[in-house]
Each structure stands twice: as C-alpha cells, then as structure tokens.
Amino acid sequence: MAMLVFGGTGGLGRELARQARAAGERVTAAGSRDADLRRFGEVEALVGRVRPKVVINAGYRQDDWAATADGAAHVAVAAVRAGARLVHVSSDAVFSGADGTFDEACVPVPATMYGAAKAAAETAVRAVDAGAVVARTSLIVGDASTVIVARVHALAAGTGDGLLFTDDFRCPVHVQDLAAALLELAASPYAGVHHVAGPDAVSRYELGLLIAARDGLDASRLRAGSRAAAGVGGAGDIRLDGVLTRSRLSTRLRGAAEFLSAA
C-alpha cells in the first residue's frame, strides 16, 4: 500500500516511515523540498505522483501560520481528491491550559499563535474531510534529535540557557508509541479527534530530570523555575485525557516515567 507522510524528514515523520516500511508498506516521506505546504499546487502535484492510499500530515512550522494552518487545508483537499485516508497530527497547544484536563470533546481555546494555527488546521481538516482522523498529541520524546530531548542535552551541557518550568504540565509520549498509534488509526474505521499522548502528566522540569537520568546527563545543571515567576505567557497546564482513544487502540501508550527509565 502506498503511503505519503508530510513532515517526513522530522523525528516523527522518520519514525512513521521506518515502522510503515518494516510492515511492508511503500512510503514516501516528504519534506519541504518535496512540497511546500504553503503552496497547494506543490502539495497536489506530489499527491498525484505518489497516488497514496494513506496520507499522514505531520508537517508544521512553529512560527508559520501558512505552513501550519493553510498547509493542513491543502493536504486535506489533495487527499480527498485522491481518495486517500487522512490522518492529521495536531497538538495539545490548541488548549489554553486554564482547565487542566481536556478530553476529545473539548473545544479548542488556544493561548498562543502556534496553538491558534493548529486549531485552525483542525477546523479546516474536519470541514474538508469528515472521515479524517485528527490526532492531538503532546511533547514527543525520542533520541537526542527530538526537540525536548535536544533542549535538555543543551542545558545539561551548558550550551543552552533557560529554565525548565515546574508549573508547566504535559502528557509526554514516546515517538515510537506515537507513530505506532497513528499507523493503527490510519488502518482503523475511526474518524474525528483522538488524543494520542501518554497517560501521565509531568512538569517540564520533571521530564528533564527523567531524560537526564536516561541519558547519563548532569541533572544539577538543569535549572527549575515557574512560568508564573518568569512572567512567561502561554499555556501552563495541559493534560490530554486520552482514555477514549486508548480504549480503541491495541498500541500501548506508555507514560514518561516508564519509557524514560534509566538503563
């Protein structure tokens, strides 16, 4: 079966391609050089060449509304025209954190421009393709190439600056678990919003300590602080309730303490 992964050069995209190929699928992992998500013509042309049965959109740019929001709409239209199954990867950033715990039925209330772009992307995808899966996830943890792990390594090495917040809670997920769950959802009959995140909420500082323990880093160099005291805006406490989604999956989504247990 032909599969097309947008954002295929990122950590999640590479893991999706690896697992799908191991299962015998023919995968095209597309980066920005293959198709600029901001340009519908490039997206449609790539979909036309690949002729996928499944499209997974893991592409975004943190500070680029057009790539994140417009790009999601472009991918959705192209996938529908090609008759492909669509899985769109979204984020817990669509929530403000004011209420703490959010299940799949909660309405997005973003606190950042990135969160607003991801919320707009969700709306576009669901309007274009009612059968698509919108998979919200949280902090993605893998090797040192994943964003949060790279930051902890930089802080521990003294090459990075800043705090790891003690009042900023997320539900981290391992990149391998996330990729497996997305591929399972792609092969399922389900549609709509799904929360694909770990079952346990930890602060960014707690997560940093777990990463340091796993990777043998100097945890004493990780500086703790509160978002409130630092005067940093944005969402602080976002806990994705994924009970419904986990009940539909055979893939087990592990908590951070489990998948980051030190060797």
Side-chain angles (χ1 to χ4, degrees), residues 29 48 50 54 58 63 111 119 129 146 150 155 159 161 172 177 187 191 194 199 222 252:
V50 175
V54 172
D63 57 352
D129 184 0
T146 50
L155 292 172
T159 58
D161 191 23
D177 297 351
H194 289 72
L222 304 181
R252 194 168 75 85

Side-chain angles (χ1 to χ4, degrees), residues 4-14 16 29-32 35 37 56-60:
L4 175 57
V5 179
F6 287 97
T9 58
L12 175 57
R14 292 195 301 271
L16 283 164
S32 58
L37 293 179
I56 300 180
N57 181 22
Y60 73 96

Side-chain angles (χ1 to χ4, degrees), residues 206-248:
E206 290 169 329
L207 181 60
L209 294 178
L210 289 169
I211 292 170
R214 182 196 68 175
D215 295 349
L217 307 176
D218 182 0
S220 68
R221 303 192 73 167
L222 304 181
R223 294 171 55 217
S226 73
R227 181 182 285 271
V232 177
D237 189 348
I238 305 178
R239 307 173 191 226
L240 291 184
D241 179 342
V243 172
L244 173 62
T245 296
R246 289 197 297 274
S247 73
R248 295 176 169 178

Side-chain angles (χ1 to χ4, degrees), residues 22-109:
E25 309 294 356
R26 178 167 60 86
V27 183
T28 298
S32 58
R33 292 184 178 180
D34 302 292
D36 186 337
L37 293 179
R38 298 170 298 180
R39 295 179 169 86
F40 175 68
E42 293 187 21
V43 172
E44 187 177 44
L46 180 59
V47 171
R49 289 195 300 272
V50 175
R51 300 175 64 185
K53 294 296 182 183
V54 172
V55 173
I56 300 180
N57 181 22
Y60 73 96
R61 290 183 187 172
Q62 189 90 26
D63 57 352
D64 190 330
W65 180 283
T68 302
D70 297 352
H74 296 160
V75 171
V77 172
V80 166
R81 289 184 178 179
R85 168 76 160 157
L86 175 60
V87 176
H88 173 76
V89 182
S90 189
S91 168
D92 57 10
V94 300
F95 297 117
S96 67
D99 297 322
T101 302
F102 303 86
D103 65 19
E104 290 87 345
C106 290
V107 176
V109 184

Side-chain angles (χ1 to χ4, degrees), residues 112-154:
T112 63
M113 285 299 294
Y114 171 66
K118 290 301 262 185
E122 288 188 8
T123 297
V125 167
R126 298 182 71 188
V128 171
D129 184 0
V133 169
V134 172
R136 293 179 185 141
T137 192
S138 189
L139 296 178
I140 302 173
V141 180
D143 61 20
S145 68
T146 50
V147 174
I148 185 63
V149 179
R151 180 158 190 259
V152 172
H153 275 243

